[in-house]
Amino acid sequence: VQLQASGGGLVQPGGSLRLSCAASGFTRDYYAIGWFRQAPGKEREGVSCINSSDGTTYYANSVKGRFTISRDNAKNTVYLQMNTLKPEDSAVYYCATDQSIYYCSGPFQVPDFPSWGQGTQVTVSS
C-alpha cells in the first residue's frame, strides 16, 4: 500500500486547510485511515481516523469541532478539512492505514497502523 499526503502549507490563525491522503495498492475493499501529527520535540499523536466500510469517525479532543475527516472510496482518498486553525496545530501531518483488523472507534496509536505515507507540513502563523 502506498499513501500520498498533500495539502499542507502556511496559514494564518483562524484559517483553513484541507489535507488529502491518496492511497494505492489496497488489497481489500476495507481500510481504516488515520491522520497523525507530530510537532518538533513531541510524540506523534493521533488526530482523526475513519473506516471505509461505514464511515465511522473519531476525533481527538484537541481537534473536535474544528476538523472533519471524510472519504471518497471510489478515489481511495481520505480528506482532513481543518478549520479555525491554531498555532498549536502546526506540525507535520501523516496519514496511515490498516487493512486487516483495526476499526476506528476511539483513541488510536502509531502501532495500530502499519502502512504510512510521507508527511505534509502545516504551519499556522501570523
Side-chain angles (χ1 to χ4, degrees), residues 26-122:
F26 278 148
T27 57
R28 298 174 57 194
D29 289 338
Y30 171 78
Y31 61 83
I33 282 188
W35 281 101
F36 293 77
R37 66 186 181 187
Q38 187 167 21
K42 294 189 176 181
E43 292 187 354
R44 193 168 297 188
E45 64 168 340
V47 173
S48 181
C49 61
I50 189 168
N51 301 306
S52 65
S53 55
D54 57 10
T56 301
T57 60
Y58 166 81
Y59 299 94
N61 287 336
S62 58
V63 305
K64 197 174 296 182
R66 300 187 298 121
F67 290 12
T68 303
I69 192 170
S70 61
R71 75 201 192 287
D72 184 334
N73 286 344
K75 295 181 179 180
N76 283 345
T77 300
V78 169
Y79 304 97
L80 186 68
Q81 178 67 43
M82 307 187 296
N83 297 328
T84 319
L85 284 162
K86 305 175 181 180
E88 51 264 42
D89 294 318
S90 297
V92 178
Y93 283 71
Y94 300 88
C95 59
T97 191
D98 178 65
Q99 284 201 284
S100 58
I101 61 173
Y102 187 75
Y103 181 79
C104 167
S105 61
F108 55 97
Q109 310 294 330
V110 169
D112 293 325
F113 292 86
S115 299
W116 289 76
Q118 91 296 348
T120 184
Q121 177 71 49
V122 171

